[in-house]
Amino acid sequence: MADEIPEDGPLTLDQAYAVLEVSDEHKGNLDKVKLRFRKMSIKFHPDKNIGREEAATEVFKCVNAAYHTLTTNNFDYE
């Protein structure tokens, strides 16, 4: 999942949906995006993954970046 985030810029919408594992039929549905974000945040939170904190932290960062991409409208990254 961490390999899906580009090093040189923000995520595309397709990458963000893939990170959050949102199905094609639910793309654009903010309630489904929030639900997936919350479930994945809890699952991969570093405090919940004792002994695997580093890996969980990377996934947690990816999940947060994906949610930010999908919920931020008209944001100028340049």
Side-chain angles (χ1 to χ4, degrees):
M1 194 173 310
D3 58 331
E4 294 180 30
I5 292 187
E7 296 291 328
D8 58 347
L11 290 168
T12 65
L13 292 178
D14 289 333
Q15 289 170 328
Y17 282 122
V19 168
L20 291 177
E21 299 173 358
V22 175
S23 64
D24 288 339
E25 66 188 44
H26 296 301
K27 286 184 178 180
N29 185 336
L30 186 58
D31 290 333
K32 295 293 182 181
V33 170
K34 283 182 184 179
L35 180 67
R36 291 299 306 153
F37 168 71
R38 290 178 181 162
K39 284 185 177 186
M40 292 184 78
S41 291
I42 290 170
K43 181 179 178 181
F44 293 108
H45 195 281
D47 291 345
K48 297 263 185 189
N49 290 280
I50 305 301
R52 299 179 303 173
E53 290 92 351
E54 288 183 30
T57 299
E58 289 302 313
V59 175
F60 189 72
K61 287 179 185 179
C62 292
V63 168
N64 282 304
Y67 185 72
H68 176 77
T69 298
L70 294 173
T71 58
T72 303
N73 295 326
N74 300 322
F75 190 79
D76 185 12
Y77 286 99
E78 295 181 350

